[in-house]
């Protein structure tokens, strides 16, 4: 008698093919994991990789065992009492013996184990993805602040609540799958559940088993409502506030508590129904009652109460909650530490004020990033495969003076290589070369930037130099580089014919690939067999990858988010490093306002420094008061270095993060109001000025070197102005300080509410209406040139404001914007000159001291220098006379309209002008 083989040839072939396909999927995944480990070990962050790997493995393994035990245990209970050898299964039921095909029960028996294993694996994968949530819960650090409703520390919402939710969701998933995908199908296959004599019948053992699972699910739902649902009402959004409203606290909160208690009672009712043999009836009642009560508690009743009780008296009802919302938002976003300073009534600037603020005047930025980036790309790219990605602001002491500069790295773009081969992309053209640096306010006779650092090989005209110009790590992304190798690495084209200068990489970056298995792993990772086959690779060759600095930092520190603008710093040694701002963030700060991505707490807790040549990653703790970064420091001990250990030549170039400052100023426009009633009515709400149409846009957040009112010296700041909501006059401005002991301090300067200070939109309108400006722009337009209006700069000086706007001209068909004019405006007066110095002298006359400014190599000579002093003085006196008449006319008009606040302000300005006229008369 021949025995039938267990597996047919066709089945064997299918198994082999499936195994091959599985290997094809697994081997590249394993290669990625192996090469990731080698990369983390190269940069010294192996603990980040190991913690994730071990935590996911352990958590997933434990979760899989728990889930499998529950699912398969439930399946075995459902399969009890079945005779394996029987040709059929006899099930006793009302009305006699019902025959069931052996096939269905046999399928249930065979599928129970693999189905339980597969479902357990899926649940385990889902929970293992929450490994950081559970680790942070274990090492949580208190915030020291409590929520105003339940009195819990904020750490409960940031760390404990997500961990509870992950655990409850995992358990809920087990019960759901055990009930609907494991237990019920088995009982249906057995015939223990079915319609008999027109009624749904469930055999007693099955009835009790199902009741136990359903009761556990109801108890878990009650726990979810109590432990997750109740605290989550603090994250709601309701009209003028975010957080729990009056209706939430007085209607939904008691309703949810009652619902949780009813769910517990429903669980016991399910067990009682099973014992009485009426589980189906009880289950139907429980399901319907749960749906109805949930709709009442979470929807119908709160909506009715909100409409009939709260809305007619919303301010009175919501005042305490609005106060919570204001306080929480100010704490979560660091707005409670903003220093508020009141400015005196705006006075007109004089020549003496300009002379006393030379550090501010000498650093007014005339080059906007966008036009300057285009200009750099045209005059400094040198070759098509070089590119400038972004322009960064910074400050350096140049020839003994603090100067605001703009700089950009000359990076290599592999996509622009004329011949894209493996050797060219990965062995020869491996790096960018040098930077271009210009003062922010100087330009040549041709309207081009004055370049202090430029060209290839890099050259300098000031006491700042780059000694290691090769850039292997920058803002452009590329797959990988192999260096050193048998191929020479291109540095830059030589001045002699078609020759070129070459170098060999001698830095620390890269993973050695001196073993065959390493080459194989990277070949699989990058899909490039040339890594395995190339004869140009040597024993000391290393593979350099993850070269884009932002993604490099994100991979090394995955628990942070990063600012969108990395910036380049030139060290005293001439080496270049990138600095990135890392944030800790959460969406779970109760009552705090959210940004568009849901974030309602943000701290710049880490500064990351990446060497542009070596690729070394160093992370420094910049906000030790942040509970979130303290939790992460406990998880990764020693990973974050104290900020005090950062080299001083890097620390002096740190700056306040731009993304954080934009978010804070956007919120401060509303949350400077701390009175709930004022907040509710938005009586004093501000806004960021609207960008001028057709001008370079930056949201009016810009870096500037200036002397703050009341301070002794100029400093590097980030500044943003505010206007009243739906109005154009200026109401306040805020700065973030960047230097020394003042780093990180926010200061808001507010003008008196009764004063009228021209805002950017009003000044822009005056500029557009100026006949000289309109005439010149029209002439350029008629000539076919494109006029680019630069950002309208708001420059605070003393208690007043100066507006400056550069005008760029781009020839028809050309690509190089040239700086051709500078518009200067103050107190309704507008002048347009060929330089800032000429514009200031036209506004304020002699005495500004600008003629004494030392010349810088390549700078544009002042056109007004040849103007006679007598003519300039006469023009200035005439301008002041016209101002005096304007202020006098405005004061008379205000007097006729009984507008005494404006009358007083105009008379004060008239007095200022008259005093300046007297000073000019007395000056020899």
């Amino acid at each position: 008698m021949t025995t039938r083989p267990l597996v047919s040839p066709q089945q064997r072939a299918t198994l082999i093919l499936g195994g091959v396909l599985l290997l094809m999927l697994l081997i590249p995944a394993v290669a990625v994991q192996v090469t990731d480990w080698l990369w983390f070990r190269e940069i010294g962050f192996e603990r980040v990789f190991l913690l994730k790997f071990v935590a996911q493995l352990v958590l997933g393994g434990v979760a899989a065992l728990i889930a499998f035990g529950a699912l398969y245990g439930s399946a075995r209970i459902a399969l009890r009492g079945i005779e394996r050898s029987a040709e059929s299964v006899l099930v006793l039921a009302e009305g006699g013996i019902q025959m069931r095909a052996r096939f269905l029960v046999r399928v249930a028996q065979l599928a129970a184990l693999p189905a339980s294993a597969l479902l357990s694996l899926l649940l385990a994968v889902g929970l293992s993805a929450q490994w950081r949530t559970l680790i942070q819960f274990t090492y949580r650090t208190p915030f020291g602040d409590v929520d105003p409703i339940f009195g819990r520390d904020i750490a409960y919402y940031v760390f404990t609540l997500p961990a509870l939710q992950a655990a409850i969701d995992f358990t809920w998933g087990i019960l759901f799958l055990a009930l609907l995908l494991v237990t019920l199908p088995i009982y249906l296959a057995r015939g223990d559940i079915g319609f008999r004599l027109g009624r749904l019948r469930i055999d007693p053992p099955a009835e009790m088993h199902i009741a136990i699972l359903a009761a556990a699910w109801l108890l878990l739902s009650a726990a979810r409502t109590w432990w997750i649902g109740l605290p989550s009402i603090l994250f709601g959004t309701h009209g003028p506030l975010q957080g729990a409203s009056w209706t939430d606290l007085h209607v939904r909160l008691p309703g949810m508590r009652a619902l949780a208690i009813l769910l517990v009672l429903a669980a016991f009712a399910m067990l009682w129904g099973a014992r009485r043999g009426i589980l189906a009836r009880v289950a139907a009642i429980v399901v319907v009652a749960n749906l109805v009560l949930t709709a009442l508690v979470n929807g119908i009743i709160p909506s009715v109460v909100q409409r009939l009780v709260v809305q007619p008296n919303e301010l009175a009802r919501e005042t305490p909650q609005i106060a919570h919302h204001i306080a929480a938002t100010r704490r979560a976003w660091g707005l409670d530490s903003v220093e508020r300073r009141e400015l005196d009534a705006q006075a007109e600037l004089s020549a003496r004020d300009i002379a006393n603020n030379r550090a501010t005047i000498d650093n007014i930025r005339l080059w906007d990033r966008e036009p300057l980036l285009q200009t750099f790309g045209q005059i400094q790219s040198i070759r098509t495969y070089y590119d400038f990605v972004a322009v960064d602001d910074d400050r350096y002491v140049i020839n003994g003076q603090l100067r605001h500069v703009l700089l950009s790295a000359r990076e290599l773009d592999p996509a622009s290589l004329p011949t894209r081969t493996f050797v060219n992309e990965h062995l020869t053209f491996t790096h960018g070369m040098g930077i271009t640096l210009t003062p922010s306010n100087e330009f040549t006779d041709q309207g081009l930037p004055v370049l202090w650092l430029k060209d290839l090989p890099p050259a300098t005209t000031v006491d700042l130099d780059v000694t290691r110009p090769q850039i292997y790590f920058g803002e452009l992304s590329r797959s990988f580089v192999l260096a050193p190798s048998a191929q020479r690495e291109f540095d830059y084209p030589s001045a002699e014919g078609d020759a070129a200068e070459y170098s060999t990489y001698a830095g620390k970056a890269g993973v050695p690939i001196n073993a065959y298995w390493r080459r194989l792993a990277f070949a699989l990772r990058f899909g490039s067999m040339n890594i395995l086959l190339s004869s140009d690779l040597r024993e000391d060759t290393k593979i350099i990858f993850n070269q884009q600095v932002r993604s490099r930092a994100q991979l090394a520190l995955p628990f942070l988010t990063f600012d969108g603008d990395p910036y380049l710093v030139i060290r005293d040694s001439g080496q270049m490093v990138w600095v990135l701002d890392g944030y800790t963030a959460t969406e779970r700060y109760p009552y705090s306002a959210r940004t568009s991505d849901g974030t309602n707490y943000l701290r710049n807790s880490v500064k990351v420094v990446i060497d542009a040549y070596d690729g070394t990653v160093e992370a420094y703790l910049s906000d030790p008061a942040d509970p979130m970064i303290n939790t992460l420091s406990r998880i990764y001990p020693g990973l974050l270095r104290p900020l005090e250990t950062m080299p001083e030549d890097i620390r002096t170039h740190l700056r306040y993060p731009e993304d954080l400052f934009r978010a804070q100023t956007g919120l401060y426009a509303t949350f400077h109001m701390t009175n709930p009633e004022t907040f509710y009515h938005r009586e004093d709400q501000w806004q960021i000025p609207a960008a001028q149409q057709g001008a370079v846009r930056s949201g009016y957040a810009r870096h500037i070197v200036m002397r703050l009112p009341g301070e002794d010296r100029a400093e590097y700041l980030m500044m943003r102005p505010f206007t009243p909501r739906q109005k154009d006059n200026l109401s306040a401005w805020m700065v973030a300080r960047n230097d020394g002991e003042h780093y990180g301090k926010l200061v808001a300067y507010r003008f008196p509410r009764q004063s009228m200070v021209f805002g950017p939109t009003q000044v822009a309108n005056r500029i557009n209406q100026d006949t000289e400006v309109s005439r010149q722009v029209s002439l350029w337009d008629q000539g076919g040139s494109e006029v680019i209006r630069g950002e309208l700069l708001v420059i605070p000086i003393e208690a007043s404001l100066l507006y400056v706007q550069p005008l760029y001209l781009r020839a028809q068909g050309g690509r190089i914007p040239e700086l051709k004019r500078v518009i200067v405006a103050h107190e309704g007066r507008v002048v347009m000159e060929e330089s800032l110095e000429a514009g200031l002298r036209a506004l304020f006359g002699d005495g500004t001291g600008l003629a004494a400014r030392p010349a810088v190599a390549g700078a544009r000579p002042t056109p007004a220098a040849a103007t006679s002093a007598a003519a300039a003085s006469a023009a200035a006196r005439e301008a002041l006379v016209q101002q005096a008449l304007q202020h006098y006319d405005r004061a008379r008009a205000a007097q006729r309209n009984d507008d005494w606040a404006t009358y007083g302000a105009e008379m004060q300005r008239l007095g200022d002008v008259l005093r300046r006229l007297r000073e000019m008369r007395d000056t020899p």
Side-chain angles (χ1 to χ4, degrees):
M1 180 178 178
T2 59
T3 58
R4 186 179 179 182
L6 295 175
V7 180
S8 67
Q10 293 84 357
Q11 291 174 324
R12 186 182 298 112
T14 302
L15 289 174
I16 293 173
L17 180 60
V20 171
L21 291 175
L22 183 62
L23 284 175
M24 290 177 66
L25 292 174
L26 287 179
I27 288 176
V30 172
V32 170
Q33 290 295 317
V34 170
T35 52
D36 275 346
W37 158 247
L38 294 174
W39 181 79
F40 274 98
R41 193 170 66 172
E42 175 227 327
I43 65 172
F45 281 59
E46 53 265 44
R47 75 188 68 181
V48 176
F49 178 89
L50 286 175
L51 179 61
K52 178 182 179 180
F53 182 79
V54 173
Q56 286 186 321
L57 188 65
V58 172
L59 183 59
V62 172
L65 290 175
I66 293 173
F68 179 76
L71 295 177
Y72 190 60
S74 182
R76 294 306 307 168
I77 292 173
L79 289 167
R80 66 193 183 281
I82 295 177
E83 292 293 337
R84 291 176 178 269
S85 60
E87 290 298 325
S88 61
V89 179
L90 302 180
V91 183
L92 184 63
E94 292 184 10
I97 301 296
Q98 185 180 49
M99 300 297 296
R100 284 282 175 182
R102 181 174 181 266
F103 173 76
L104 292 178
V105 177
R106 188 60 177 158
V107 168
Q109 288 178 311
L110 293 175
L113 180 62
S116 298
L118 178 61
L119 294 174
S120 300
L121 182 62
L122 293 176
L123 287 170
V125 169
L127 186 62
S128 65
Q130 299 290 326
W131 67 272
R132 188 178 293 122
T133 297
L134 300 179
I135 292 287
Q136 288 181 342
F137 165 71
T138 304
Y139 291 93
R140 63 192 180 278
T141 302
F143 273 63
D145 294 322
V146 298
D147 77 88
I149 304 304
F150 301 108
R152 296 188 179 111
D153 190 276
I154 303 301
Y156 176 85
Y157 301 93
V158 176
F159 302 121
T160 305
L161 195 60
L164 273 175
Q165 186 162 0
I168 289 176
D169 288 346
F170 173 70
T171 310
W172 190 91
I174 292 176
L175 292 174
F176 177 83
L177 295 176
L179 182 61
L180 295 184
L181 298 185
V182 176
T183 306
L184 284 178
I186 292 174
Y187 282 128
L188 287 170
R190 290 186 53 165
D192 290 348
I193 303 175
F195 285 93
R196 300 164 195 167
L197 302 179
R199 299 178 61 184
L200 178 65
R201 298 291 184 180
I202 306 174
D203 286 350
E207 195 167 27
M208 183 54 68
H209 187 189
I210 294 171
I212 291 173
L213 291 175
W217 187 83
L218 288 170
L219 289 174
L220 190 65
S221 297
R224 181 204 289 265
T225 301
W226 195 277
W227 290 335
I228 306 299
L230 295 183
S232 295
I233 68 170
L234 302 185
F235 306 129
T237 300
H238 310 278
L241 67 91
Q242 289 178 339
S245 65
W246 188 94
T247 302
D248 289 334
L249 298 178
H250 294 84
V251 178
R252 288 189 66 221
L253 188 60
M256 293 174 71
R257 285 172 173 159
L259 183 61
I261 295 172
L262 290 174
L263 286 170
V264 173
L265 295 177
F268 288 104
M270 295 291 283
L271 297 175
W272 175 81
R275 288 182 61 87
R276 298 293 301 271
I278 55 173
L279 177 62
R281 191 181 309 166
V282 173
I285 294 172
V286 167
V287 170
V288 172
N290 186 37
L291 291 175
V292 171
L293 289 174
T294 300
L296 288 172
V297 169
N298 291 326
I300 297 173
I301 296 177
S303 298
V304 171
V305 172
Q306 180 70 21
R307 178 63 187 89
L308 300 180
V309 177
V310 176
Q311 284 189 8
N313 305 283
E314 190 172 42
L315 178 57
R317 300 282 187 186
E318 301 290 11
T319 292
Q321 290 72 246
I322 293 175
H324 300 330
H325 177 44
I326 295 171
T329 301
R330 290 173 63 86
R331 286 195 305 269
W333 289 96
L335 304 180
D336 56 342
S337 61
V338 174
E339 181 184 353
R340 302 179 65 166
R341 298 182 183 179
E342 299 293 331
L343 294 170
D344 297 331
Q346 185 185 13
E348 290 201 22
L349 292 174
S350 65
R352 182 177 301 172
D353 295 325
I354 300 298
N356 291 338
N357 288 270
R358 280 293 302 274
T360 300
I361 300 300
D362 289 346
N363 288 285
I364 292 177
R365 191 179 83 181
L366 300 181
W367 284 105
D368 288 311
R369 292 183 183 183
E370 184 178 334
L372 186 62
L373 184 64
Q374 296 173 18
T375 301
F376 281 172
Q378 292 300 311
I379 67 175
Q380 279 292 299
S381 286
I382 311 298
R383 290 291 187 271
T384 57
Y385 41 78
Y386 287 126
D387 195 11
F388 293 94
V389 180
V391 174
D392 295 318
D393 290 79
D394 208 341
R395 71 286 200 193
Y396 287 85
V397 176
I398 303 294
N399 298 334
Q401 293 184 350
L402 179 66
R403 297 302 302 272
H404 183 195
V405 301
L406 300 166
L407 66 158
S408 185
R410 186 184 291 104
E411 300 190 45
L412 189 137
D413 182 9
S416 298
L417 289 173
T419 306
R420 298 187 63 184
T421 64
F422 175 79
V423 171
N424 274 353
E425 284 196 50
H426 304 294
L427 279 72
T428 302
F429 293 90
T430 58
H431 56 272
M433 194 69 181
I435 68 169
T436 299
L437 181 145
T438 179
S440 64
N441 66 335
E442 296 186 13
F443 55 102
T444 66
D445 288 332
Q446 294 76 35
L448 300 177
V450 174
L451 302 179
W452 285 348
L453 288 175
K454 59 181 178 178
D455 298 340
L456 290 175
T460 180
T461 61
V462 293
D463 56 351
L464 180 69
D465 199 4
V466 174
T467 58
R468 195 166 65 186
Q470 291 85 359
I471 300 174
Y472 283 83
F473 300 88
E475 295 190 73
L476 281 178
S477 60
R478 62 186 304 169
S479 54
F480 63 91
V481 161
L482 295 162
S485 69
Q487 295 289 332
R488 296 182 300 171
E489 295 177 59
F490 178 85
D491 256 1
Y492 55 87
S494 174
E496 300 177 2
D498 296 331
E501 298 294 329
Y502 295 88
S503 67
T504 299
Y505 184 68
K508 303 174 184 177
V511 176
I513 53 172
N514 49 7
Y516 183 83
W517 69 267
R518 292 190 175 215
R519 287 198 188 188
L520 178 61
F522 282 106
L524 290 170
R525 178 190 180 109
F526 293 110
S528 175
M529 294 306 295
N530 287 323
I531 298 177
L532 198 62
L533 304 174
S534 176
S535 60
D536 288 320
L537 306 187
R538 309 184 319 202
E539 190 69 18
D540 60 342
T541 298
K542 295 184 287 186
I543 185 166
I544 304 171
F545 59 109
N546 293 333
Q547 294 172 266
Q548 206 272 347
V549 290
R550 194 159 178 258
S551 64
R552 188 176 183 85
Q554 189 68 72
L555 289 169
L557 302 162
F559 45 84
L560 300 175
T561 58
F562 285 91
D563 193 89
D565 185 24
Y567 53 98
L568 195 64
V569 171
I570 306 172
R571 302 189 61 179
D572 292 346
S573 61
Q575 298 172 331
M576 294 183 291
V577 296
W578 295 94
V579 180
L580 299 93
D581 290 291
Y583 300 117
T584 49
T586 184
E587 302 173 359
R588 293 180 172 272
Y589 198 105
Y591 273 107
S592 177
R594 295 184 180 88
T595 53
S596 58
D597 63 354
T599 301
N600 64 3
Y601 173 93
L602 192 67
R603 289 291 185 274
N604 175 216
S605 299
V606 177
K607 302 285 187 181
V608 178
V609 177
I610 298 179
D611 192 284
Y613 184 77
D614 285 329
T616 52
V617 181
E618 298 174 347
Y620 297 90
L621 179 61
S622 58
D623 188 357
D626 173 32
M628 294 192 70
I629 202 62
N630 287 332
T631 297
L632 294 166
S633 296
R634 295 178 64 194
I635 297 172
Y636 303 98
L639 189 69
L640 304 177
R641 310 178 185 191
L643 188 62
E644 294 74 22
T645 63
M646 179 184 285
E648 185 63 25
D649 58 350
I650 300 177
R651 285 190 66 186
T652 55
H653 292 278
L654 294 182
R655 70 187 194 194
Y656 200 79
E658 185 170 338
D659 289 349
L660 176 59
F661 185 68
R662 288 177 181 272
Q664 287 177 314
T665 50
L667 289 166
Y668 193 75
T670 299
F671 287 91
H672 70 277
M673 299 179 288
T674 56
N675 180 279
E677 183 175 356
T678 304
F679 183 93
Y680 177 83
H681 293 300
R682 298 295 198 265
E683 293 178 9
D684 191 27
Q685 186 176 6
W686 302 339
Q687 65 184 18
I688 306 302
Q692 182 184 358
Q693 186 175 3
V696 175
R697 300 190 178 191
S698 69
Y700 288 101
R702 53 169 289 107
H703 292 95
I704 184 173
V705 172
M706 62 169 284
R707 182 174 66 84
L708 291 172
E711 300 291 338
D712 297 328
R713 62 180 182 85
E715 54 188 295
Y716 185 64
L717 308 162
M718 193 168 191
M719 180 263 191
R720 205 175 198 190
F722 299 102
T723 62
R725 185 168 63 99
Q726 298 180 346
K727 292 186 178 180
D728 294 330
N729 58 291
L730 209 65
S731 55
W733 47 276
M734 180 187 283
V735 295
R737 306 179 74 173
N738 292 289
D739 293 342
E741 62 183 6
H742 299 300
Y743 174 84
K745 294 182 179 179
L746 301 177
V747 185
Y749 290 86
R750 180 166 181 167
F751 292 104
R753 295 186 64 176
Q754 68 274 13
S755 64
M756 173 64 184
V757 181
F758 289 126
T761 301
Q762 294 169 318
V763 173
N765 291 336
R766 286 181 173 269
I767 291 173
N768 293 334
Q769 295 167 3
D770 185 84
T771 55
E772 177 60 24
V773 174
S774 300
R775 184 187 64 81
Q776 184 61 63
V777 170
S778 297
L779 286 175
W780 282 329
D781 286 337
Q782 292 170 6
S785 298
E786 178 188 2
V787 179
I788 303 172
R789 293 177 180 267
E791 181 187 357
L792 182 59
L793 310 177
V794 184
I795 312 295
I797 298 179
E798 302 297 344
S800 190
L801 296 172
L802 184 71
Y803 285 90
V804 176
Q805 184 178 44
L807 291 183
Y808 310 96
L809 193 64
R810 183 160 50 200
Q812 186 175 15
R815 297 183 180 180
I816 302 178
E818 300 175 357
L819 205 165
K820 288 300 185 182
R821 294 289 188 275
V822 179
I823 299 172
V824 185
H826 173 67
E827 280 298 302
R829 292 171 291 149
V830 176
V831 297
M832 182 176 68
E833 298 290 343
E834 293 188 3
S835 71
L836 175 63
E837 293 84 357
L840 292 173
R841 273 198 289 271
L843 272 182
F844 302 106
D846 294 334
T848 60
L850 294 176
R853 178 174 177 174
V856 178
R860 183 187 187 94
T862 304
T867 304
S868 67
S873 179
R877 287 193 183 94
E878 179 61 26
L880 288 176
V881 170
Q882 293 300 320
Q883 291 176 45
L885 291 173
Q886 290 175 4
H887 290 309
Y888 176 75
D889 291 339
R890 292 173 191 164
R892 290 292 303 276
Q895 183 184 35
R896 287 192 295 269
N897 295 328
D898 293 332
D899 185 357
W900 300 109
T902 302
Y903 174 80
E906 291 296 337
M907 290 302 294
Q908 181 176 356
R909 290 167 183 162
L910 175 60
D912 292 338
V913 174
L914 293 175
R915 280 189 291 273
R916 288 166 58 192
L917 279 169
R918 183 174 61 189
E919 290 173 2
M920 293 183 67
R921 183 198 64 188
D922 296 338
T923 300

